[in-house]
């Protein structure tokens, strides 16, 4: 109480702090992403869980500098699977710094604790995932039409469940590039990126014994922001990527990686965001360590009025795996070394007052699994309703 009183006595600081509280309830009819033909855990498939918590948003300009932060803590409790109860945490901070008129960048990071997805783990135990990231980047505009930029970052993932700690990892990344800045606001550039994935815990796979898992990835990509029209924005990041896996050279891979994002905001209250991607990614699974993901998504937002908004999100992704040697039953049909997932959701957002937001959402998820990677084929349906009260 003393802290609240002291903050309220400083209007300049208090105006940058925005506390909030939130509560919600969600139902999932296949919480553990069990296989479609599985009956042994049918009684535990569906569950309803509730969350309640709060936090604060912070934004403070200091001269030309801008400091932002966010903290959210929520207690999550399950009706039928109380062993999964946990405290969800989301902490973020960023300093957007400026030096003179041509040099700026960011320094920041985040910390998140959440329940890991059951999609790639065949368990019914609580498995919290902690992810942390620290980053620093900078841009130097040495000419009205040209800039240099660079970034360093470190991202860490750690799992609570002992059987999943082989997926603990650290990803260190370095980026260097340059951009051409057009008068229209569009940009076109080139960048080099080095990514190193390190796994502190050795992996035990089938009859092959223990092995080290990790990778080095080198990238050379074009980076484009095209303001095509007043209502259309196109972003593209793509080029050549080479990924080398430690321990098993047979799992090395290379090829084209790219992500395309199109934002379309026609006159009126509709906004459409479409994405397509082809990217190497680390996978948190018992029999796999990485995949080449190909996918596409579309998000449509429709503002019926100042208080009511609808959101439709559709997504499809296919992952191609190279399992660890000896990890799976020999497979001769190549397409069994891939899986695909489709998700669809429809949400309705209602703001009865400026500081109150109520969101109702329904979703459907379906996956065709992979024998080689040990992923299930499943279906899941659910819905949620959440309310947030923002102070100040």
């Amino acid at each position: 109480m003393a802290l609240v009183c002291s903050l309220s006595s400083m209007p300049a600081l208090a105006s940058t702090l925005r506390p909030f509280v939130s509560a919600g309830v969600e139902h999932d009819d296949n919480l553990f992403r069990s296989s479609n033909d599985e009956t042994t855990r049918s009684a535990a498939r569906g569950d309803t869980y509730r969350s309640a918590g709060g936090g604060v948003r912070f934004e403070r300009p200091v001269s030309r500098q801008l400091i932002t932060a966010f903290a959210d803590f929520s207690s999550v409790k399950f009706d039928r699977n109380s062993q999964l109860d946990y405290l969800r945490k989301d902490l973020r901070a960023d300093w957007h710094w400026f030096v003179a008129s041509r040099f700026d960048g960011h320094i920041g990071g985040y910390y998140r604790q959440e329940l890991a997805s059951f999609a790639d783990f065949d368990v019914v135990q609580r498995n919290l995932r902690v992810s942390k990231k620290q980053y620093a980047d900078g841009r130097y505009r040495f000419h009205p039409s040209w800039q240099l930029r660079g970034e360093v970052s470190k991202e860490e993932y750690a799992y609570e469940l002992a059987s999943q700690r082989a997926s603990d990892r650290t990803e260190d990344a370095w980026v260097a590039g340059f951009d051409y800045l057009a008068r229209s606001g569009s940009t076109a550039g080139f960048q080099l990126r080095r990514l190193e994935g390190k796994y502190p815990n050795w992996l035990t796979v089938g009859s092959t014994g223990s092995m080290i898992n990790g990778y080095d990835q080198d990238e050379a990509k074009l980076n484009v922001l095209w303001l095509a029209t007043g209502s259309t924005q196109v972003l593209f990041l793509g080029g050549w990527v080479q990924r080398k896996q430690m321990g098993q050279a047979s799992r090395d891979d290379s090829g084209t990686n790219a992500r395309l994002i199109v934002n379309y905001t026609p006159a009126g209250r509709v906004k459409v965001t479409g994405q397509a991607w082809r990217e190497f990614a680390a996978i948190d699974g018992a029999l796999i360590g990485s995949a080449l993901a190909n996918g596409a998504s579309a998000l449509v937002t429709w503002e019926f009025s100042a208080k009511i908004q609808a959101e439709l999100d559709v997504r499809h992704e296919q992952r191609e795996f190279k399992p660890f040697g000896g990890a799976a039953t020999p497979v001769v049909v190549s397409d069994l070394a891939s899986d695909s997932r489709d998700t669809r959701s429809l949400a309705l957002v209602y703001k009865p007052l400026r500081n109150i937001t109520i969101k109702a959402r329904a979703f459907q998820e379906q996956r065709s699994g992979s024998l080689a990677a040990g992923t299930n084929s499943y279906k899941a349906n659910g819905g949620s309703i959440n309310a947030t009260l923002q102070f100040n």
Side-chain angles (χ1 to χ4, degrees):
M1 180 64 71
L3 176 60
V4 173
C5 293
S6 65
L7 289 177
S8 63
S9 66
M10 296 184 294
L13 181 58
S15 64
T16 67
L17 288 172
R18 293 185 171 85
F20 63 89
V21 293
S22 62
V25 58
E26 181 166 343
H27 178 77
D28 192 315
D29 71 354
N30 189 2
L31 180 66
F32 297 110
R33 299 302 183 256
S34 302
S35 177
N36 293 331
D37 57 1
E38 184 175 346
T39 59
T40 57
R41 291 203 307 238
S42 59
R45 279 177 179 266
D47 206 344
T48 299
Y49 49 99
R50 294 166 174 79
S51 62
V56 63
R57 294 180 175 87
F58 175 82
E59 182 174 311
R60 177 72 171 172
V62 180
S63 185
R64 297 177 59 213
Q65 318 300 307
L66 179 62
I67 300 173
T68 59
F70 174 83
D72 184 11
F73 298 88
S74 297
S75 174
V76 182
K77 296 186 178 297
F78 293 77
D79 284 356
R80 304 175 66 180
N81 295 275
S82 58
Q83 78 276 11
L84 302 179
D85 294 352
Y86 73 103
L87 179 64
R88 184 168 58 218
K89 304 176 184 178
D90 187 355
L91 307 172
R92 288 172 265 159
D94 180 86
W95 169 27
H96 189 180
W97 53 266
F98 296 84
V99 175
S101 61
R102 298 184 178 184
F103 200 17
D104 75 293
H106 298 81
I107 297 176
Y110 66 72
Y111 176 97
R112 296 185 186 128
Q113 177 178 282
E114 58 193 342
L115 189 65
S117 170
F118 292 99
D120 293 326
F121 294 135
D122 190 22
V123 296
V124 296
Q125 299 169 277
R126 190 181 77 168
N127 184 31
L128 295 183
R129 183 177 86 158
V130 172
S131 56
K132 298 183 288 184
K133 184 176 183 178
Q134 305 90 44
Y135 60 85
D137 63 58
R139 299 178 298 179
Y140 175 56
R141 190 163 181 171
F142 63 91
H143 183 276
S145 299
W146 294 92
Q147 71 177 11
L148 297 173
R149 55 186 171 85
E151 178 183 356
V152 295
S153 64
K154 181 177 184 178
E155 202 159 2
E156 301 173 77
Y157 300 88
Y159 291 84
E160 176 188 35
L161 206 58
S163 61
Q164 309 302 337
R165 288 178 184 163
S167 293
D168 292 358
R169 67 182 184 275
T170 300
E171 295 180 344
D172 296 308
W174 300 265
V175 179
F178 63 87
D179 300 301
Y180 170 72
L181 312 176
R183 292 184 179 180
S184 64
S186 300
T187 66
F190 177 78
Q191 69 176 44
L192 298 174
R193 181 172 182 252
R194 170 77 172 183
L195 179 64
E196 296 180 357
K198 303 172 184 177
Y199 290 72
N201 303 314
W202 283 47
L203 178 69
T204 301
V205 183
S207 59
T208 62
S210 297
M211 61 174 288
I212 191 171
N213 187 26
Y215 59 89
D216 293 333
Q217 182 168 307
D218 295 300
E219 307 175 0
K221 293 182 175 181
L222 296 175
N223 185 23
V224 178
L225 167 60
W226 178 33
L227 303 181
T229 67
S231 59
T232 305
Q233 180 190 73
V234 180
L235 299 94
F236 174 80
L237 178 64
W240 184 260
V241 175
Q242 179 176 271
R243 189 179 182 95
K244 294 185 177 180
Q245 300 286 157
M246 297 181 184
Q248 285 191 319
S250 61
R251 296 172 57 239
D252 291 352
D253 211 343
S254 62
T256 303
N257 275 208
R259 181 175 288 263
L260 175 69
I261 303 174
V262 179
N263 295 313
Y264 177 55
T265 309
R269 299 180 179 273
V270 177
K271 179 180 179 180
V272 181
T273 298
Q275 294 194 49
W277 61 89
R278 174 185 170 85
E279 297 173 337
F280 292 119
I283 300 297
D284 301 326
L287 304 181
I288 50 178
S290 63
L292 176 60
N294 297 272
S297 68
L299 173 63
V300 182
T301 303
W302 187 2
E303 292 186 2
F304 294 102
S305 68
K307 293 185 176 182
I308 301 176
Q309 174 180 293
E311 298 175 355
L312 174 64
D313 192 357
V314 180
R315 180 179 300 259
H316 171 80
E317 183 175 69
Q318 179 170 324
R319 304 183 298 180
E320 300 174 7
F321 305 113
K322 287 192 174 182
F324 300 115
T329 303
V331 178
V332 296
V333 182
S334 60
D335 60 3
L336 293 181
S338 66
D339 68 11
S340 63
R341 179 164 59 179
D342 292 279
T343 58
R344 295 167 287 274
S345 69
L346 179 63
L348 188 66
V349 181
Y350 176 49
K351 294 185 177 182
L353 298 174
R354 180 183 58 83
N355 61 334
I356 297 178
T357 301
I358 301 172
K359 183 174 183 178
R361 175 177 174 265
F363 73 88
Q364 182 180 73
E365 182 177 331
Q366 182 173 346
R367 185 171 73 181
S368 175
S370 163
L371 176 62
T375 60
N376 291 331
S377 295
Y378 64 79
K379 295 180 180 178
N381 302 280
S384 65
I385 184 167
N386 296 274
T388 301
L389 172 61
Q390 175 82 59
F391 298 99
N392 291 344

